[in-house]
Amino acid sequence: MRRSLTLATLLAVPQVAFGWELTGWAWEADQQPLHYEISTNPEDSVAEDYPPVAIHAGFQQWIDEAPCSFLTTNFDGFVETGDEQENANDGATQFLFDDPGDNHDAGVLGVTVCRSTGTVYRVLDGLTINRVRGCDIVFNDNVDFTSDELIADGDCNGETSMQAVATHEIGHLWGMDHSCEDPGKGGGPCFDPIKLEATMYWTAGACEPDQSTINSDDIEGIESLYGPYASIQCSNELEPDDPNTIAFGVVPFDLNCIASADDPDQLVDATWHWGDGDESTGLQTTHEYTEGGNYTLAATIEGHDDTCGDWTRTARRIGYVRACDVPEPQFTYEAKSGFTYDLLNETDLSVYGCIFDVQWDIFDESGEKLASLKAWEPQYTFPSSGEYRVVLNVGGPAGTGAAELLINVSGASGCNTTGAALGAIASVVALISVRRRRTA
């Protein structure tokens, strides 16, 4: 939806951190000041002169509280207009208060519809941001709105702050997406209080004016889009040219990282959270991973702009670091019927991506290999009763581990035991594809 020519974003009424997110559109410098108009069709749940007050205040929040976004606007006055669907392609930015087609039920407080030109504005961490042509913001006429002043006076009976909705929808207009998404649209639980209290949280509660003001999460997001932008770059990448690559290594290994920005001279310091409990500071630093795991790397980057002052950016890469150790195979077996047995692989798979291949080798009492099986949990029929040695080899980029046990095949069912680990072995089992790490 973000990259379609017509892009709509809704603010709905309650329930549920991903941090600030972007819609995929933005206004370039030559499109500012952003010109907007306000419909003369009234919103009858508030005083006739109040909607412009709420809208202007919403714009000023983004302009005044996020000075490093360098946003500017111009109010072009009032205009008679109808349903937003009639204005979907007029290129103008308008605020509407009627919904004659009943396009939005009572669960939707407001909607922002933007038209993209398809021209790329910039790319931020792999997300393509397109130049926007125009937007419409619609306040749902099935909702009763009120002012923040009446809410503060205690004169609120379940109404919704118009200024809170205006500030939120104007955030969408500038290019901000929800800090936490509606669970009904695939969003997960949102526990971070900064995200929960953001103007760009996906919903606004009745008689709650908090979203009329933007918080640190909103500020960082909008300033990253329009002002100084900072990110991180690390070595040990399997595919350095792939924007979705991970930092990879065989433990123990050093991960070298550096903070980067459009203007490196603005960088002041960075605090690194490595995901394994350790932290460090510095614009360029190295961390040693000693235990296998998939780790989320986060860095809080501080900078200073002579025009707008100090700024902070947070770069967070979920599951970005993969640290692999030699696999430690474990398995059991279960007799099914006759000489047929299930071989049950219980090797730990909690570190995603650190196992590439598996092979079962079955030997008779004389040591002759009877079979090699490539399935994760194969079923095997032994040729007759007797004692057999079963070896499980599990291979990954750090090497191959093995476990073995002796199975006394008698034809009875229901027996099982656990294979004992043999430890790491030097050679990699057949067909293992080893991907070499690279350094930046």
Side-chain angles (χ1 to χ4, degrees):
M1 185 170 88
R2 292 179 179 177
R3 296 195 172 99
S4 63
L5 290 180
T6 299
L7 306 153
T9 310
L10 305 178
L11 175 64
V13 289
Q15 283 178 356
V16 178
F18 309 127
W20 56 265
E21 300 284 352
L22 303 177
T23 59
W25 64 72
W27 303 79
E28 295 196 59
D30 64 357
Q31 296 177 288
Q32 297 191 46
L34 183 155
H35 291 259
Y36 65 95
E37 302 169 328
I38 298 177
S39 171
T40 56
N41 290 333
E43 166 50 51
D44 56 14
S45 62
V46 294
E48 186 175 349
D49 59 351
Y50 181 69
V53 173
I55 292 167
H56 298 330
F59 270 119
Q60 286 306 125
Q61 269 294 304
W62 293 100
I63 293 171
D64 294 343
E65 300 302 321
C68 286
S69 60
F70 306 108
L71 302 174
T72 59
T73 61
N74 188 79
F75 174 48
D76 288 349
F78 298 94
V79 61
E80 290 187 11
T81 183
D83 179 17
E84 86 266 15
Q85 300 303 320
E86 299 171 5
N87 298 278
N89 295 297
D90 60 7
T93 295
Q94 298 176 340
F95 288 80
L96 313 173
F97 306 103
D98 57 349
D99 181 22
D102 279 330
N103 298 309
H104 313 300
D105 60 30
V108 174
L109 303 177
V111 60
T112 299
V113 182
C114 290
R115 281 76 59 186
S116 171
T117 65
T119 302
V120 176
Y121 161 61
R122 67 191 303 188
V123 178
L124 299 181
D125 273 349
L127 174 64
T128 299
I129 310 296
N130 290 318
R131 178 186 173 109
V132 69
R133 185 163 68 92
C135 296
D136 287 334
I137 292 178
V138 181
F139 293 82
N140 188 357
D141 61 2
N142 292 308
V143 174
D144 288 332
F145 292 102
T146 189
S147 69
D148 286 5
E149 291 74 17
L150 289 176
I151 294 175
D153 290 341
D155 187 8
C156 181
N157 298 299
E159 295 94 346
T160 299
S161 165
M162 176 171 277
Q163 185 175 330
V165 175
T167 307
H168 177 101
E169 296 301 332
I170 289 169
H172 286 317
L173 177 148
W174 286 124
M176 292 288 293
D177 212 339
H178 293 147
S179 61
C180 299
E181 188 52 271
D182 178 355
K185 297 181 179 179
C190 189
F191 302 111
D192 188 333
I194 295 178
K195 320 305 179 188
L196 287 166
E197 294 168 5
T199 286
M200 297 315 298
Y201 182 67
W202 73 275
T203 183
C207 300
E208 294 180 1
D210 294 348
Q211 285 174 275
S212 295
T213 55
I214 64 177
N215 76 351
S216 59
D217 188 67
D218 304 308
I219 292 170
E220 182 174 326
I222 198 70
E223 289 187 343
S224 294
L225 180 59
Y226 288 99
Y229 178 73
S231 187
I232 57 176
Q233 296 176 348
C234 299
S235 62
N236 294 83
E237 293 180 349
L238 285 176
E239 304 290 345
D241 297 328
D242 182 351
N244 299 314
T245 191
I246 61 169
F248 167 81
V250 173
V251 296
F253 79 99
D254 289 339
L255 184 64
N256 304 305
C257 294
I258 186 171
S260 62
D262 296 335
D263 183 356
D265 291 337
Q266 292 190 8
L267 295 176
V268 175
D269 199 2
T271 301
W272 302 82
H273 309 273
W274 300 102
D276 59 359
D278 287 349
E279 296 182 0
S280 62
T281 59
L283 295 176
Q284 185 170 355
T285 186
T286 299
H287 178 69
E288 182 182 36
Y289 286 94
T290 59
E291 297 184 6
N294 295 114
Y295 300 105
T296 292
L297 174 61
T300 302
I301 305 168
E302 301 171 30
H304 178 83
D305 183 276
D306 290 340
T307 302
C308 62
D310 295 337
W311 52 262
T312 301
R313 304 288 178 264
T314 300
R316 185 168 183 263
R317 309 253 179 110
I318 298 174
Y320 177 68
V321 180
R322 180 178 301 160
C324 290
D325 207 343
V326 178
E328 297 183 359
Q330 294 187 25
F331 70 97
T332 63
Y333 68 87
E334 181 179 335
K336 300 303 290 183
S337 62
F339 301 141
T340 299
Y341 284 69
D342 284 340
L343 302 179
L344 306 175
N345 197 334
E346 296 184 347
T347 304
D348 184 6
L349 292 173
S350 61
V351 184
Y352 173 80
C354 287
I355 291 178
F356 290 161
D357 202 9
V358 59
Q359 179 169 308
W360 303 80
D361 293 325
I362 301 173
F363 302 87
D364 64 16
E365 292 180 272
S366 69
E368 179 182 356
K369 182 185 290 188
L370 301 180
S372 290
L373 310 174
K374 303 298 293 184
W376 180 256
E377 290 190 328
Q379 187 176 86
Y380 182 71
T381 301
F382 294 92
S384 62
S385 61
E387 186 176 74
Y388 297 85
R389 185 167 68 98
V390 178
V391 179
L392 170 61
N393 305 285
V394 178
T400 298
E404 72 167 14
L405 57 79
L406 297 178
I407 300 179
N408 287 306
V409 176
S410 63
S413 62
C415 301
N416 65 77
T417 188
T418 301
L422 297 176
I425 58 178
S427 61
V428 177
V429 295
L431 301 182
I432 290 180
S433 173
V434 179
R435 303 178 71 183
R436 301 296 180 187
R437 58 176 173 168
R438 304 177 186 176
T439 55

